């Protein structure tokens, strides 16, 4: 019994139990219909017997015929009523069942994603801490030359940055969840912000080349910290999912009086069916057991939320011949000409 409850809780038995209940309810409805039709037949039989006792068909054939017609009509009306009511019940039942099934599936999927998230986050939290600890212990224990020391310190800073990004993402996700997130807007030189942010990431990345083509003098009223998170999420994703040595491009330009901000890579790309889903909370493409790149599935969820708060949109397109283009469109900005 305990095992059954456990299976129910974990969602494994929900579908069979659900299908059983649905079939049982439909069969009960059909049986109810059969009983009503039988009852209707009986009523017609009694009415006919009663008619035969009341009116003699040979002496009053006209009256008998009229009464007989009324009995048949009543039976037809009952049949129509039962079929109509049955069909409406069945329709309500099926629509309800479909809605419940959708809700259960959504719930189970979310549960699974949260479980994956917990596993991934635990690993993501532990691995940078372990790496930083090891690096610091090595520096303390051994007499290393300056170059090696620098290497270890750089590595430690990289790991703490990863940790910092993850913590920011988790905190922000919980703020968005409870609608507590507010932007601290200010007028900022967005071109400079993007250039400085990309330069900073480029400086600590030795696996990829990051190229920028940023139109200067673009100002907008936005939240500096949030926009930095968007840049970091998109570029860090490209670094994470794209083969080493390839180029990542960060572009900012005006098109048709709109501001376009693109992060382009030449990686594996994102399959058509996944393009919308990657923006869902905790969603990660593929299977948790086979996936090698670690993550929380929060980055793009937050990115979209932040861009929406800035009254913008984000879409993902295919890059040619391969790779991904994340394109953000913002309408509220001003461009200064030199
Ligand atoms: P995380 O990176 O923590 O898994 P994200 O929300 O940032 O979460 O990304 C969701 C998913 O989208 C990732 O798991 C990855 O499969 C896919 N993805 C994101 N960026 C890229 C990219 N540049 N190239 C290929 N796949 C990507």
């Amino acid at each position: 019994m305990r095992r059954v409850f456990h299976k129910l809780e974990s969602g494994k038995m929900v579908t069979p139990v659900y299908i059983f209940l649905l079939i049982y309810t439909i069969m009960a409805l059909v049986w109810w219909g059969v009983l009503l039709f039988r009852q209707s037949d009986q009523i017609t039989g009694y009415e006919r017997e009663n008619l035969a006792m009341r009116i003699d068909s040979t002496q009053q054939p006209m009256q008998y015929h009229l009464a007989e017609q009324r009995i048949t009509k009543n039976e037809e009306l009952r049949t129509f009523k039962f079929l109509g009511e049955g069909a409406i019940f069945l329709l309500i039942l099926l629509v309800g069942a479909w809605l419940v099934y959708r809700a259960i599936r959504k719930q189970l999927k979310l549960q699974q994603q949260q479980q994956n998230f917990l596993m991934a986050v635990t690993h993501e939290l532990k691995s940078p801490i372990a790496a930083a600890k090891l690096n610091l212990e090595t520096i303390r224990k051994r007499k290393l030359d300056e170059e090696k020391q620098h290497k270890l310190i750089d590595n430690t800073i990289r790991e703490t940055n990863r940790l910092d990004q993850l913590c920011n993402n988790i905190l922000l996700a919980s703020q968005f969840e409870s609608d507590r997130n507010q932007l601290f807007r200010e007028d900022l030189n967005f071109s400079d912000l993007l250039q400085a942010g990309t330069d900073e990431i480029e400086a600590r990345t030795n696996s990829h080349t990051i190229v920028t083509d940023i139109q200067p003098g673009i100002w907008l009223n936005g939240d500096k910290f949030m926009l930095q998170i968007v840049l970091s999420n998109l570029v860090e994703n490209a670094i994470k999912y794209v083969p080493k040595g390839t180029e990542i491009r960060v572009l900012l330009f005006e098109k048709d009086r709109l501001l376009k901000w693109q992060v382009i890579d030449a990686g594996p790309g994102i399959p058509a069916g996944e393009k919308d889903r990657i923006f869902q909370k905790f969603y990660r493409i593929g299977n948790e057991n086979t996936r090698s790149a670690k993550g929380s599935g929060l980055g793009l969820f937050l990115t979209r939320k932040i861009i929406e708060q800035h009254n913008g949109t984000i879409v993902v397109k295919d890059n040619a011949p391969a790779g991904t283009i994340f394109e953000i469109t913002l309408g509220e900005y001003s461009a200064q000409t030199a």
Side-chain angles (χ1 to χ4, degrees):
M1 196 65 185
R2 268 178 67 186
R3 205 187 291 169
V4 171
F5 275 120
H6 178 70
K7 279 188 175 175
L8 259 178
E9 268 170 23
S10 67
K12 279 187 192 129
M13 272 185 61
V14 169
T15 313
V17 168
Y18 175 82
I19 290 173
F20 170 76
L21 284 177
L22 184 63
I23 291 176
Y24 179 82
T25 319
I26 290 175
M27 279 172 54
L29 183 69
V30 171
W31 181 237
W32 173 68
V34 170
L35 288 182
L36 279 177
F37 278 113
R38 276 194 197 163
Q39 211 179 42
S40 174
D41 270 353
Q42 273 175 354
I43 292 172
T44 310
Y46 291 142
E47 279 179 345
R48 288 217 167 98
E49 274 173 30
N50 186 275
L51 179 66
M53 282 193 298
R54 276 191 301 117
I55 304 171
D56 187 341
S57 60
T58 48
Q59 284 181 1
Q60 297 165 291
M62 193 61 186
Q63 236 177 327
Y64 185 88
H65 182 66
L66 281 176
E68 164 78 11
Q69 259 186 346
R70 212 176 307 128
I71 291 171
T72 315
K73 184 124 183 101
N74 279 347
E75 191 183 14
E76 277 171 10
L77 274 177
R78 276 198 300 274
T79 307
F80 182 69
K81 192 175 131 192
F82 296 155
L83 285 178
E85 278 178 357
I88 287 172
F89 269 142
L90 190 65
L91 189 75
I92 291 173
L93 189 75
L94 291 178
V95 170
W98 180 68
L99 289 176
V100 170
Y101 187 68
R102 237 181 37 168
I104 292 176
R105 271 195 49 169
K106 213 170 154 185
Q107 187 64 32
L108 287 178
K109 222 170 125 192
L110 196 72
Q111 210 174 316
Q112 183 65 44
Q113 282 177 0
Q114 276 172 345
Q115 230 166 34
N116 287 349
F117 165 74
L118 217 68
M119 270 161 54
V121 159
T122 316
H123 180 278
E124 285 281 282
L125 285 174
K126 285 188 81 142
S127 63
I129 293 173
K133 194 172 155 201
L134 189 73
N135 289 347
L136 293 175
E137 276 173 359
T138 315
I139 293 172
R140 192 178 62 178
K141 271 189 202 153
R142 294 210 204 143
K143 277 222 167 302
L144 299 170
D145 59 54
E146 206 166 326
E147 195 194 338
K148 275 188 182 156
Q149 252 190 37
H150 266 149
K151 233 176 156 178
L152 284 179
I153 291 171
D154 282 352
N155 185 271
T156 311
I157 291 175
R158 254 200 311 278
E159 294 296 338
T160 42
N161 275 334
R162 249 178 70 195
L163 205 57
D164 190 37
Q165 196 194 1
L166 179 68
C167 290
N168 283 339
N169 280 352
I170 295 173
L171 282 175
L172 265 178
S174 76
Q175 282 180 4
F176 274 116
E177 190 91 303
S178 54
D179 282 332
R180 272 187 293 119
N181 187 56
Q182 280 180 351
L183 292 185
F184 293 101
R185 282 179 178 269
E186 58 184 313
D187 285 331
L188 44 94
N189 186 326
F190 188 52
S191 308
D192 287 354
L193 179 97
L194 222 53
Q195 191 64 59
T198 317
D199 288 347
E200 196 264 320
I201 301 174
E202 158 90 297
R204 60 180 156 88
T205 309
N206 42 29
S207 55
H208 296 78
T209 331
I210 306 176
V211 179
T212 54
D213 186 357
I214 292 170
Q215 181 179 327
I218 300 287
W219 284 76
L220 54 81
N221 186 266
D223 188 318
K224 194 172 161 186
F225 177 63
M226 294 290 171
L227 292 168
Q228 274 166 344
I229 288 183
V230 170
L231 175 71
S232 161
N233 280 339
L234 294 180
V235 179
E236 296 286 353
N237 268 355
I239 293 173
K240 204 158 57 169
Y241 298 109
V242 168
K244 282 185 182 172
T246 52
E247 200 176 80
I248 298 163
R249 290 192 293 146
V250 179
L251 312 184
L252 185 72
F253 56 94
E254 280 181 284
K255 194 181 170 198
D256 303 331
R257 295 191 177 190
L258 291 170
L259 188 63
K260 299 278 179 186
W261 169 14
Q262 295 182 332
V263 176
I264 305 176
D265 66 56
I270 293 172
E274 305 278 8
K275 283 199 169 80
D276 261 346
R277 289 197 219 145
I278 53 170
F279 293 101
Q280 289 171 9
K281 193 165 58 170
F282 304 138
Y283 191 81
R284 307 194 69 212
I285 299 177
N287 184 315
E288 201 59 40
N289 302 321
T290 55
R291 203 184 291 120
S292 56
K294 289 293 163 189
S296 59
L298 285 175
L300 291 178
F301 165 75
L302 291 173
T303 299
R304 181 152 80 176
K305 288 269 180 204
I306 294 170
I307 294 302
E308 281 170 358
Q309 276 196 326
H310 284 83
N311 301 326
T313 54
I314 178 166
V315 288
V316 53
K317 302 178 186 174
D318 292 329
N319 187 19
T324 312
I325 304 176
F326 281 95
E327 183 180 276
I328 292 166
T329 306
L330 293 162
E332 296 161 14
Y333 71 98
S334 65
Q336 281 181 358
T337 40

